[in-house]
Amino acid sequence: MINVEIKSVNRKTLSKQVLDEIIDLLLSGQLKSGDRLPSELELMEMFDVSRSVIREALTSLESMGIVNRKTRNGTFFSDKIGSKPFSMMLALSAGNLPSIIETRLSLELGFVTLAAEKITDKELEQLKQTIDAMSSATSDYTEIDKEFHKIIAHSASNPLLEGVITPLLNLYDRTLEQIPNRHRDSKATIQQHIDIYEALKKRDPIQSSTAMYRHLDYVRKKVLMNIKDM
């Protein structure tokens, strides 16, 4: 059992304070991802609170993807902290498309810059395959488009960033729904993806970022133009 220091808590909002103190074990470096937390009984003694307070705090942490509870083995910090808190924020902001687009633009510029330094030949080939699939598609290729951006995010090889790309792209369909078919230009969109791919192939972070910005800014302008017309 690892010795850890935990602050005492006030009687108000006990489960929230317990939750914050458990998270602080990670932030302070006393425990790390994958480590086992003290047992419920040990936590009760450390915080001087009831079992129900501890269970409420652990349930909240589990729902956020921060801990995993195993019936016989105890409670562990997740190996990769989940993206549920970010998902909740996105869900609450689902009606604010400009903010969602700006968030996506900010994050994906970071993804593609890192990807230019880390992307593998195999991942480049996967990007090429998605572009070929988009080019030959006879109907909507939204899912293929999403896969293109997901490959770039994962190629950045950063678990914290990987945790936010899926919930963000889950709102991708909602963004595209704001662009009427008459305003869509598949030829231009596919060329933008080709430009991103070619820049990544050169392992050029500046050119990759520029190509990604042009693509996402193109989408942003299409969406905002339609919102203004509504």
Side-chain angles (χ1 to χ4, degrees):
M1 175 62 195
I2 301 174
N3 290 324
V4 295
E5 296 179 5
I6 295 178
K7 303 173 187 176
S8 61
V9 296
N10 298 322
R11 289 287 174 183
K12 295 181 180 179
T13 61
L14 288 177
S15 63
K16 174 63 166 60
Q17 291 182 65
V18 169
L19 181 152
D20 289 341
E21 288 299 328
I22 291 176
I23 291 177
D24 193 58
L25 294 176
L26 274 180
L27 299 178
S28 65
Q30 295 183 68
L31 293 176
K32 60 184 185 296
S33 296
D35 280 349
R36 181 182 179 277
L37 273 69
S39 68
E40 287 187 3
L41 182 59
E42 289 168 327
L43 289 172
M44 288 166 58
E45 293 175 352
M46 290 176 182
F47 290 112
D48 189 24
V49 296
S50 66
R51 186 182 294 271
S52 63
V53 170
I54 295 299
R55 287 184 172 175
E56 183 178 345
L58 293 178
T59 298
S60 297
L61 288 167
E62 188 174 33
S63 70
M64 291 188 288
I66 294 175
V67 303
N68 293 316
R69 287 195 284 180
K70 302 176 182 179
T71 304
R72 295 186 178 182
N73 297 325
T75 303
F76 296 80
F77 280 119
S78 300
D79 291 327
K80 289 186 179 181
I81 301 304
S83 59
K84 288 192 177 181
F86 185 68
S87 301
M88 293 177 202
M89 285 191 293
L90 285 176
L92 291 172
S93 303
N96 190 343
L97 286 176
S99 292
I100 292 171
I101 295 169
E102 288 175 0
T103 300
R104 182 183 171 198
L105 192 153
S106 299
L107 289 172
E108 290 212 57
L109 289 181
F111 290 144
V112 78
T113 301
L114 290 173
E117 300 175 354
K118 300 179 179 182
I119 196 164
T120 65
D121 290 340
K122 180 179 179 180
E123 288 164 336
L124 282 169
E125 178 57 31
Q126 290 173 338
L127 287 180
K128 180 65 167 58
Q129 290 173 3
T130 61
I131 293 173
D132 290 343
M134 281 190 281
S135 300
S136 59
T138 57
S139 57
D140 182 54
Y141 53 73
T142 298
E143 290 302 317
I144 305 171
D145 196 343
K146 284 167 64 175
E147 183 63 22
F148 178 91
H149 290 274
K150 196 175 292 186
I151 292 168
I152 291 175
H154 292 319
S155 69
S157 300
N158 185 309
L160 292 178
L161 291 176
E162 286 180 25
V164 301
I165 188 59
T166 299
L168 187 60
L169 287 179
N170 284 341
L171 289 174
Y172 185 83
D173 295 357
R174 183 175 176 81
T175 302
L176 285 186
E177 286 172 2
Q178 302 304 313
I179 306 177
N181 289 331
R182 67 180 183 279
H183 291 161
R184 300 188 186 190
D185 186 340
S186 60
K187 184 176 180 180
T189 300
I190 291 170
Q191 183 58 53
Q192 290 163 9
H193 285 77
I194 293 172
D195 293 342
I196 295 168
Y197 164 76
E198 293 293 344
L200 287 171
K201 192 175 179 180
K202 294 177 183 176
R203 267 72 177 188
D204 187 328
I206 295 176
Q207 187 177 338
S208 298
S209 179
T210 300
M212 180 65 79
Y213 178 82
R214 286 173 179 162
H215 169 55
L216 294 179
D217 187 52
Y218 172 84
V219 175
R220 175 173 60 172
K221 287 175 178 175
K222 294 277 188 181
V223 172
L224 295 182
M225 177 179 65
N226 190 59
I227 291 176
K228 290 177 182 178
D229 293 339
M230 293 175 66

